[in-house]
Amino acid sequence: MIILGLTIAFDYLMKAVLVGLAFFAFFGPRIQDPRSKKNFYALFGIFAFLGVYELPAILSLDATITVRNREIAEFFRIEEDAHLSELYQIEWFDIVVWLLQALLASLVGERLHRKIWGPKPCTQDTGG
């Protein structure tokens, strides 16, 4: 169980880092303010899409999965032959994970943006 939990956590962490790097590398020159909330909302939308894009296919297939390990089946509260549509559902935990991934991705992307394109120059008039 510990290895399963660590694998899932590592997957979430690496997905957040890689999506953040890719987002800010691709849109970097067009981003005026790397700390803008628009970037965070866009990253949240990307993670939500990555979390649900396979749902229509899973629901239309009406596929089942067989779990032979009784401990895993009890942990996930599923029967031996469970429909995949029962396993793939959006819950509050998913939304929290997407929010955390978007936060981590925006932090990583902001550091990349500062490193490549430098800090945003000060455009305020000092009045002098």
Side-chain angles (χ1 to χ4, degrees), residues 8-26:
I8 292 171
F10 184 73
D11 174 55
Y12 288 145
L13 180 70
M14 290 309 299
K15 191 184 300 181
V17 169
L18 293 175
V19 168
L21 290 174
F23 179 82
F24 277 86
F26 186 73

Side-chain angles (χ1 to χ4, degrees), residues 51-65 82-89:
V52 300
Y53 76 95
E54 72 268 355
L55 278 179
I58 290 171
L59 294 175
S60 67
L61 289 175
D62 194 35
T64 60
I65 186 170
H83 286 276
L84 282 178
S85 61
E86 295 173 6
L87 298 177
Y88 282 96
Q89 296 176 354

Side-chain angles (χ1 to χ4, degrees), residues 59-76:
L59 294 175
S60 67
L61 289 175
D62 194 35
T64 60
I65 186 170
T66 301
V67 180
R68 301 228 190 269
N69 189 333
R70 186 171 304 277
E71 292 176 9
I72 297 290
E74 289 174 2
F75 179 76
F76 287 110

Side-chain angles (χ1 to χ4, degrees), residues 25 30 39 76 80 82 89 96 123:
R30 292 180 224 132
N39 300 329
F76 287 110
E80 188 173 317
Q89 296 176 354
V96 171
T123 58

Side-chain angles (χ1 to χ4, degrees), residues 109-120:
E110 180 186 329
R111 295 188 91 184
L112 174 75
H113 191 274
R114 273 190 279 137
K115 187 168 234 144
I116 294 176
W117 289 281
K120 184 178 176 187

Side-chain angles (χ1 to χ4, degrees), residues 77-96:
R77 293 183 223 118
I78 57 176
E79 299 174 9
E80 188 173 317
D81 291 325
H83 286 276
L84 282 178
S85 61
E86 295 173 6
L87 298 177
Y88 282 96
Q89 296 176 354
I90 300 171
E91 298 177 357
W92 286 105
F93 180 75
D94 296 320
I95 295 170
V96 171

